[in-house]
mmCIF file of all heavy atoms in Angstrom:
data_model
loop_
_atom_site.group_PDB
_atom_site.id
_atom_site.type_symbol
_atom_site.label_atom_id
_atom_site.label_comp_id
_atom_site.label_asym_id
_atom_site.label_seq_id
_atom_site.Cartn_x
_atom_site.Cartn_y
_atom_site.Cartn_z
ATOM 1 N N LEU S 548 11.713 50.728 3.334
ATOM 2 C CA LEU S 548 12.035 49.817 4.425
ATOM 3 C C LEU S 548 12.437 50.628 5.653
ATOM 4 O O LEU S 548 13.409 51.384 5.591
ATOM 5 C CB LEU S 548 13.184 48.872 4.048
ATOM 6 C CG LEU S 548 13.134 48.184 2.674
ATOM 7 C CD1 LEU S 548 14.341 47.282 2.504
ATOM 8 C CD2 LEU S 548 11.856 47.397 2.525
ATOM 9 N N GLU S 549 11.697 50.462 6.742
ATOM 10 C CA GLU S 549 12.065 51.111 8.003
ATOM 11 C C GLU S 549 12.698 50.038 8.887
ATOM 12 O O GLU S 549 11.996 49.196 9.460
ATOM 13 C CB GLU S 549 10.823 51.727 8.656
ATOM 14 C CG GLU S 549 10.203 52.826 7.811
ATOM 15 C CD GLU S 549 8.982 53.443 8.457
ATOM 16 O OE1 GLU S 549 8.555 52.956 9.529
ATOM 17 O OE2 GLU S 549 8.446 54.415 7.893
ATOM 18 N N PRO S 550 14.029 50.030 9.001
ATOM 19 C CA PRO S 550 14.743 48.875 9.567
ATOM 20 C C PRO S 550 14.525 48.684 11.058
ATOM 21 O O PRO S 550 14.390 49.630 11.830
ATOM 22 C CB PRO S 550 16.210 49.183 9.259
ATOM 23 C CG PRO S 550 16.251 50.674 9.199
ATOM 24 C CD PRO S 550 14.933 51.109 8.614
ATOM 25 N N LEU S 551 14.480 47.411 11.454
ATOM 26 C CA LEU S 551 14.411 47.013 12.853
ATOM 27 C C LEU S 551 15.687 46.314 13.295
ATOM 28 O O LEU S 551 16.129 46.478 14.431
ATOM 29 C CB LEU S 551 13.219 46.061 13.078
ATOM 30 C CG LEU S 551 11.837 46.632 12.736
ATOM 31 C CD1 LEU S 551 10.819 45.507 12.684
ATOM 32 C CD2 LEU S 551 11.436 47.672 13.760
ATOM 33 N N ALA S 552 16.257 45.511 12.412
ATOM 34 C CA ALA S 552 17.503 44.796 12.714
ATOM 35 C C ALA S 552 18.178 44.449 11.398
ATOM 36 O O ALA S 552 17.535 44.357 10.350
ATOM 37 C CB ALA S 552 17.230 43.539 13.532
ATOM 38 N N VAL S 553 19.501 44.262 11.467
ATOM 39 C CA VAL S 553 20.289 43.909 10.283
ATOM 40 C C VAL S 553 21.141 42.698 10.642
ATOM 41 O O VAL S 553 21.786 42.673 11.707
ATOM 42 C CB VAL S 553 21.205 45.076 9.843
ATOM 43 C CG1 VAL S 553 21.963 44.715 8.577
ATOM 44 C CG2 VAL S 553 20.379 46.340 9.619
ATOM 45 N N LEU S 554 21.129 41.697 9.775
ATOM 46 C CA LEU S 554 21.954 40.510 9.968
ATOM 47 C C LEU S 554 23.160 40.611 9.039
ATOM 48 O O LEU S 554 23.026 40.598 7.832
ATOM 49 C CB LEU S 554 21.152 39.243 9.673
ATOM 50 C CG LEU S 554 21.900 37.911 9.869
ATOM 51 C CD1 LEU S 554 22.344 37.749 11.315
ATOM 52 C CD2 LEU S 554 21.024 36.733 9.454
ATOM 53 N N THR S 555 24.342 40.718 9.640
ATOM 54 C CA THR S 555 25.593 40.822 8.894
ATOM 55 C C THR S 555 26.460 39.602 9.199
ATOM 56 O O THR S 555 26.094 38.725 9.981
ATOM 57 C CB THR S 555 26.361 42.103 9.277
ATOM 58 O OG1 THR S 555 26.871 41.951 10.613
ATOM 59 C CG2 THR S 555 25.433 43.310 9.230
ATOM 60 N N ALA S 556 27.637 39.575 8.586
ATOM 61 C CA ALA S 556 28.563 38.477 8.844
ATOM 62 C C ALA S 556 29.012 38.488 10.309
ATOM 63 O O ALA S 556 29.434 37.455 10.841
ATOM 64 C CB ALA S 556 29.776 38.601 7.923
ATOM 65 N N SER S 557 28.917 39.646 10.971
ATOM 66 C CA SER S 557 29.344 39.749 12.364
ATOM 67 C C SER S 557 28.234 39.433 13.355
ATOM 68 O O SER S 557 28.485 39.357 14.553
ATOM 69 C CB SER S 557 29.864 41.172 12.638
ATOM 70 O OG SER S 557 30.904 41.511 11.735
ATOM 71 N N GLY S 558 26.994 39.274 12.885
ATOM 72 C CA GLY S 558 25.885 38.972 13.777
ATOM 73 C C GLY S 558 24.715 39.909 13.573
ATOM 74 O O GLY S 558 24.652 40.638 12.565
ATOM 75 N N VAL S 559 23.789 39.897 14.530
ATOM 76 C CA VAL S 559 22.574 40.705 14.433
ATOM 77 C C VAL S 559 22.804 42.059 15.088
ATOM 78 O O VAL S 559 23.313 42.142 16.216
ATOM 79 C CB VAL S 559 21.386 40.001 15.121
ATOM 80 C CG1 VAL S 559 20.123 40.820 14.955
ATOM 81 C CG2 VAL S 559 21.190 38.610 14.555
ATOM 82 N N VAL S 560 22.414 43.113 14.392
ATOM 83 C CA VAL S 560 22.499 44.481 14.914
ATOM 84 C C VAL S 560 21.083 45.027 15.044
ATOM 85 O O VAL S 560 20.334 45.051 14.067
ATOM 86 C CB VAL S 560 23.326 45.397 13.991
ATOM 87 C CG1 VAL S 560 23.342 46.815 14.516
ATOM 88 C CG2 VAL S 560 24.749 44.857 13.830
ATOM 89 N N VAL S 561 20.728 45.438 16.272
ATOM 90 C CA VAL S 561 19.421 46.088 16.511
ATOM 91 C C VAL S 561 19.714 47.560 16.777
ATOM 92 O O VAL S 561 20.141 47.913 17.882
ATOM 93 C CB VAL S 561 18.687 45.451 17.698
ATOM 94 C CG1 VAL S 561 17.338 46.120 17.900
ATOM 95 C CG2 VAL S 561 18.484 43.959 17.460
ATOM 96 N N PRO S 562 19.539 48.436 15.793
ATOM 97 C CA PRO S 562 19.941 49.840 15.960
ATOM 98 C C PRO S 562 19.347 50.511 17.191
ATOM 99 O O PRO S 562 20.047 51.255 17.889
ATOM 100 C CB PRO S 562 19.440 50.483 14.658
ATOM 101 C CG PRO S 562 19.457 49.377 13.663
ATOM 102 C CD PRO S 562 19.046 48.164 14.427
ATOM 103 N N ASP S 563 18.073 50.293 17.501
ATOM 104 C CA ASP S 563 17.448 51.013 18.613
ATOM 105 C C ASP S 563 18.005 50.625 19.964
ATOM 106 O O ASP S 563 17.788 51.330 20.960
ATOM 107 C CB ASP S 563 15.928 50.778 18.604
ATOM 108 C CG ASP S 563 15.205 51.712 17.648
ATOM 109 O OD1 ASP S 563 15.881 52.255 16.757
ATOM 110 O OD2 ASP S 563 13.980 51.889 17.774
ATOM 111 N N LEU S 564 18.724 49.494 20.059
ATOM 112 C CA LEU S 564 19.306 49.063 21.331
ATOM 113 C C LEU S 564 20.810 49.309 21.372
ATOM 114 O O LEU S 564 21.479 48.940 22.350
ATOM 115 C CB LEU S 564 19.042 47.574 21.564
ATOM 116 C CG LEU S 564 17.577 47.124 21.591
ATOM 117 C CD1 LEU S 564 17.498 45.636 21.887
ATOM 118 C CD2 LEU S 564 16.773 47.925 22.609
ATOM 119 N N ALA S 565 21.350 49.932 20.332
ATOM 120 C CA ALA S 565 22.789 50.103 20.229
ATOM 121 C C ALA S 565 23.289 51.204 21.144
ATOM 122 O O ALA S 565 22.578 52.183 21.419
ATOM 123 C CB ALA S 565 23.172 50.407 18.782
ATOM 124 N N PRO S 566 24.532 51.090 21.644
ATOM 125 C CA PRO S 566 25.111 52.176 22.440
ATOM 126 C C PRO S 566 25.519 53.336 21.546
ATOM 127 O O PRO S 566 25.492 53.240 20.317
ATOM 128 C CB PRO S 566 26.330 51.500 23.074
ATOM 129 C CG PRO S 566 26.727 50.433 22.085
ATOM 130 C CD PRO S 566 25.445 49.942 21.484
ATOM 131 N N GLY S 567 25.929 54.431 22.164
ATOM 132 C CA GLY S 567 26.390 55.585 21.413
ATOM 133 C C GLY S 567 25.549 56.809 21.660
ATOM 134 O O GLY S 567 24.419 56.727 22.156
ATOM 135 N N ASP S 568 26.128 57.966 21.300
ATOM 136 C CA ASP S 568 25.439 59.233 21.508
ATOM 137 C C ASP S 568 25.097 59.940 20.215
ATOM 138 O O ASP S 568 24.654 61.095 20.214
ATOM 139 C CB ASP S 568 26.278 60.154 22.407
ATOM 140 C CG ASP S 568 27.677 60.401 21.823
ATOM 141 O OD1 ASP S 568 27.944 59.940 20.680
ATOM 142 O OD2 ASP S 568 28.493 61.051 22.500
ATOM 143 N N GLY S 569 25.328 59.278 19.087
ATOM 144 C CA GLY S 569 24.999 59.894 17.817
ATOM 145 C C GLY S 569 25.997 60.916 17.331
ATOM 146 O O GLY S 569 25.687 61.717 16.453
ATOM 147 N N ALA S 570 27.224 60.851 17.868
ATOM 148 C CA ALA S 570 28.208 61.874 17.525
ATOM 149 C C ALA S 570 29.028 61.509 16.294
ATOM 150 O O ALA S 570 29.794 62.325 15.801
ATOM 151 C CB ALA S 570 29.144 62.093 18.707
ATOM 152 N N THR S 571 28.865 60.305 15.772
ATOM 153 C CA THR S 571 29.647 59.895 14.602
ATOM 154 C C THR S 571 29.258 60.711 13.384
ATOM 155 O O THR S 571 28.067 60.933 13.110
ATOM 156 C CB THR S 571 29.421 58.401 14.307
ATOM 157 O OG1 THR S 571 29.765 57.638 15.460
ATOM 158 C CG2 THR S 571 30.274 57.942 13.128
ATOM 159 N N ALA S 572 30.265 61.186 12.636
ATOM 160 C CA ALA S 572 29.989 61.946 11.413
ATOM 161 C C ALA S 572 29.592 60.987 10.299
ATOM 162 O O ALA S 572 30.332 60.046 9.975
ATOM 163 C CB ALA S 572 31.228 62.735 11.010
ATOM 164 N N LEU S 573 28.417 61.176 9.753
ATOM 165 C CA LEU S 573 27.913 60.322 8.682
ATOM 166 C C LEU S 573 28.054 61.029 7.348
ATOM 167 O O LEU S 573 27.882 62.255 7.261
ATOM 168 C CB LEU S 573 26.440 59.959 8.945
ATOM 169 C CG LEU S 573 26.146 59.223 10.241
ATOM 170 C CD1 LEU S 573 24.639 59.061 10.421
ATOM 171 C CD2 LEU S 573 26.828 57.862 10.256
ATOM 172 N N ALA S 574 28.341 60.244 6.318
ATOM 173 C CA ALA S 574 28.484 60.823 4.983
ATOM 174 C C ALA S 574 27.167 61.425 4.522
ATOM 175 O O ALA S 574 26.098 60.800 4.654
ATOM 176 C CB ALA S 574 28.949 59.748 3.997
ATOM 177 N N ALA S 575 27.251 62.638 3.972
ATOM 178 C CA ALA S 575 26.038 63.315 3.535
ATOM 179 C C ALA S 575 25.444 62.620 2.320
ATOM 180 O O ALA S 575 26.156 62.013 1.512
ATOM 181 C CB ALA S 575 26.356 64.777 3.196
ATOM 182 N N HIS S 576 24.122 62.683 2.221
ATOM 183 C CA HIS S 576 23.424 62.113 1.072
ATOM 184 C C HIS S 576 23.799 62.890 -0.180
ATOM 185 O O HIS S 576 23.887 64.117 -0.166
ATOM 186 C CB HIS S 576 21.920 62.168 1.309
ATOM 187 C CG HIS S 576 21.134 61.253 0.427
ATOM 188 N ND1 HIS S 576 20.784 61.571 -0.861
ATOM 189 C CD2 HIS S 576 20.637 59.999 0.646
ATOM 190 C CE1 HIS S 576 20.094 60.577 -1.399
ATOM 191 N NE2 HIS S 576 19.985 59.618 -0.509
ATOM 192 N N ALA S 577 24.005 62.149 -1.261
ATOM 193 C CA ALA S 577 24.434 62.784 -2.507
ATOM 194 C C ALA S 577 23.341 63.640 -3.132
ATOM 195 O O ALA S 577 23.593 64.383 -4.062
ATOM 196 C CB ALA S 577 24.892 61.721 -3.505
ATOM 197 N N GLY S 578 22.142 63.524 -2.616
ATOM 198 C CA GLY S 578 21.034 64.274 -3.188
ATOM 199 C C GLY S 578 20.368 63.468 -4.288
ATOM 200 O O GLY S 578 20.921 62.525 -4.831
ATOM 201 N N GLU S 579 19.156 63.827 -4.583
ATOM 202 C CA GLU S 579 18.417 63.092 -5.603
ATOM 203 C C GLU S 579 17.596 64.066 -6.438
ATOM 204 O O GLU S 579 17.286 65.179 -5.998
ATOM 205 C CB GLU S 579 17.492 62.066 -4.969
ATOM 206 C CG GLU S 579 16.515 62.637 -3.969
ATOM 207 C CD GLU S 579 15.759 61.542 -3.228
ATOM 208 O OE1 GLU S 579 16.179 60.381 -3.270
ATOM 209 O OE2 GLU S 579 14.737 61.885 -2.612
ATOM 210 N N ARG S 580 17.281 63.656 -7.631
ATOM 211 C CA ARG S 580 16.503 64.498 -8.528
ATOM 212 C C ARG S 580 15.102 64.697 -7.971
ATOM 213 O O ARG S 580 14.447 63.746 -7.567
ATOM 214 C CB ARG S 580 16.432 63.828 -9.894
ATOM 215 C CG ARG S 580 15.789 64.681 -10.962
ATOM 216 C CD ARG S 580 15.868 63.976 -12.308
ATOM 217 N NE ARG S 580 15.267 64.788 -13.349
ATOM 218 C CZ ARG S 580 15.201 64.403 -14.620
ATOM 219 N NH1 ARG S 580 15.726 63.240 -14.972
ATOM 220 N NH2 ARG S 580 14.655 65.189 -15.521
ATOM 221 N N PRO S 581 14.653 65.940 -7.877
ATOM 222 C CA PRO S 581 13.300 66.178 -7.331
ATOM 223 C C PRO S 581 12.242 65.399 -8.103
ATOM 224 O O PRO S 581 12.271 65.321 -9.329
ATOM 225 C CB PRO S 581 13.118 67.704 -7.514
ATOM 226 C CG PRO S 581 14.510 68.244 -7.598
ATOM 227 C CD PRO S 581 15.333 67.178 -8.263
ATOM 228 N N ASP S 582 11.311 64.822 -7.379
ATOM 229 C CA ASP S 582 10.233 64.038 -7.968
ATOM 230 C C ASP S 582 8.961 64.880 -7.918
ATOM 231 O O ASP S 582 8.438 65.139 -6.842
ATOM 232 C CB ASP S 582 10.068 62.739 -7.177
ATOM 233 C CG ASP S 582 8.886 61.909 -7.647
ATOM 234 O OD1 ASP S 582 8.315 62.242 -8.695
ATOM 235 O OD2 ASP S 582 8.542 60.935 -6.960
#
Side-chain angles (χ1 to χ4, degrees):
L548 313 181
E549 297 180 355
L551 300 167
V553 183
L554 182 61
T555 71
S557 304
V559 183
V560 177
V561 181
D563 277 19
L564 302 182
D568 57 5
T571 303
L573 300 174
H576 198 278
E579 56 188 16
R580 187 175 181 180
D582 175 10

